[in-house]
Amino acid sequence: MTAQGKEVSFDSLRNELRIEPGTPPWHGIRVLMHNLVEKKIVKPSGRKDGIYKVLTQVKPIKVFGRERRPPVRLYFPRSHDTGKELDFADSIVFREGDMVLLSGQSNFGKTTLCLNFCGENLEMSPVLMGNEYTSVDEEPMPRFLNRLDGMDWVEWCDSEGNERFTLLPVRADYAEHVVKNKLNIIDWINLPGEYYMISPVMEAIKRELGRGIAIIALQKNPGVDYGRGGNLTKDFADCELLLDKFSNNDEVLLTIGKIKEPVVNSRIMGRTFAYRIINGVKITNFREVIKCPQCHGTGNKYRGGKCDCDNGYMDKEWKV
């Protein structure tokens, strides 16, 4: 069993078994390996170099008669002028082991969402890690502490003064530090020069979640619908939220990207919302916006000049 997934060769087998050159067993190794290939126990490298990979043996998995586990209730941040959860939250189904991807422009709301997700889901014992929270000296960042103080509606500690979340000084190799069965929030993942590695990084994180949930943040360039790493960032995401500057305003434009499991009969992917962030933590004036039917999102009239909508979008309830 320990050899499964590893490579073996004629030479290594002969040395390990102490087979003398020229003897029948010396040549019999080839026949043995041929028979093992037929039984799908090993696979030749294809280079005719006498090297074989020992295949990992799998067994069928029983499907019916197993426990059907219900969806996970992941609470979304609230808009503080209404006190209500973000409008689209009840249109998304989350399962154990899911991953939420926040791809956003620099300084446009990724950490705000991460910390609000943390504050709304303290019952899931969140684990925080990433570049936004701890310094290279493994100390909490002053800005991070200031944000926590600003979230005065959250009870960060229990009645005995114990913190209801865990802060880990992790800035790389995140999969190795994921805490199984918990809400793991990683803000943000940086892969300078190796953005093509984001897919295996996300896969590794997801494999370690168990029954937990991951929320990860990535940087995103303006005007594109994916984080740094291109469409590879979408491979293992179950819920993708894209964050951009809302035209000339100091608000955030949130676009619903990939959704693995929307609620039946709900239209969710592609919808856009705008909101303002106060003091780096409070979401306000949250509303759905749509592209202006007059300028089709350009902000300019067909025959020149600025459109009345000013930024290419309009509140969904507003009529032209």
Side-chain angles (χ1 to χ4, degrees), residues 50-116:
I51 295 177
Y52 294 77
K53 179 180 179 180
V54 181
L55 302 179
T56 300
Q57 302 300 303
V58 298
K59 297 179 180 180
I61 297 176
K62 185 176 177 60
V63 175
F64 292 100
R66 301 176 71 98
E67 177 187 8
R68 298 298 194 260
R69 300 187 64 79
V72 174
R73 182 62 169 101
L74 179 69
Y75 291 96
F76 271 66
R78 290 175 283 167
S79 180
H80 281 264
D81 43 2
T82 65
K84 296 181 179 179
E85 194 175 11
L86 302 189
D87 294 353
F88 57 85
D90 58 1
S91 297
I92 306 173
V93 177
F94 290 99
R95 304 283 181 180
E96 295 169 345
D98 275 357
M99 176 178 285
V100 179
L101 171 63
L102 309 178
S103 294
Q105 287 184 237
S106 180
N107 203 37
F108 267 91
K110 295 185 296 298
T111 299
T112 298
L113 286 184
C114 285
L115 291 181
N116 273 269

Side-chain angles (χ1 to χ4, degrees), residues 174-319:
Y174 299 104
E176 299 175 8
H177 303 281
V178 165
V179 180
K180 195 177 294 291
N181 304 330
K182 303 292 185 182
L183 173 61
N184 290 263
I185 301 174
I186 305 173
D187 180 18
W188 44 282
I189 296 176
N190 188 29
L191 298 170
E194 296 183 335
Y195 296 118
Y196 61 90
M197 289 296 296
I198 189 59
S199 183
V201 167
M202 292 172 67
E203 180 183 18
I205 292 170
K206 200 166 187 178
R207 287 183 179 276
E208 298 299 324
L209 288 173
R211 294 180 176 178
I213 297 280
I215 298 175
I216 69 170
L218 298 177
Q219 297 286 3
K220 185 179 85 68
N221 294 330
V224 297
D225 62 351
Y226 45 76
R228 291 179 185 170
N231 284 320
L232 295 175
T233 61
K234 301 176 182 286
D235 289 352
F236 292 95
D238 300 285
C239 169
E240 179 191 33
L241 306 180
L242 305 168
L243 306 176
D244 291 278
K245 180 180 180 181
F246 189 38
S247 191
N248 296 322
N249 299 330
D250 58 353
E251 293 186 305
V252 176
L253 178 68
L254 185 154
T255 303
I256 310 295
K258 172 185 174 183
I259 300 296
K260 190 78 169 182
E261 187 178 354
V263 170
V264 176
N265 296 326
S266 65
R267 186 193 68 81
I268 181 68
M269 292 177 60
R271 291 171 65 187
T272 48
F273 301 82
Y275 57 92
R276 186 180 302 276
I277 299 175
I278 297 178
N279 297 330
V281 289
K282 290 185 177 180
I283 295 172
T284 63
N285 195 24
F286 185 86
R287 75 271 184 201
E288 186 166 5
V289 295
I290 59 175
K291 286 186 177 180
C292 173
Q294 302 298 317
C295 68
H296 305 288
T298 65
N300 298 309
K301 294 181 178 179
Y302 175 70
R303 297 184 182 277
K306 293 289 292 182
C307 181
D308 294 336
C309 70
D310 185 49
N311 61 9
Y313 285 84
M314 52 185 279
D315 291 358
K316 187 176 181 180
E317 295 77 14
W318 185 54
K319 305 296 184 183

Side-chain angles (χ1 to χ4, degrees), residues 133-151:
Y133 305 133
T134 56
S135 68
V136 293
D137 298 322
E138 299 188 356
E139 293 290 334
M141 292 279 205
R143 187 170 289 111
F144 165 63
L145 296 176
N146 186 63
R147 287 177 186 264
L148 293 187
D149 293 341
M151 297 175 68

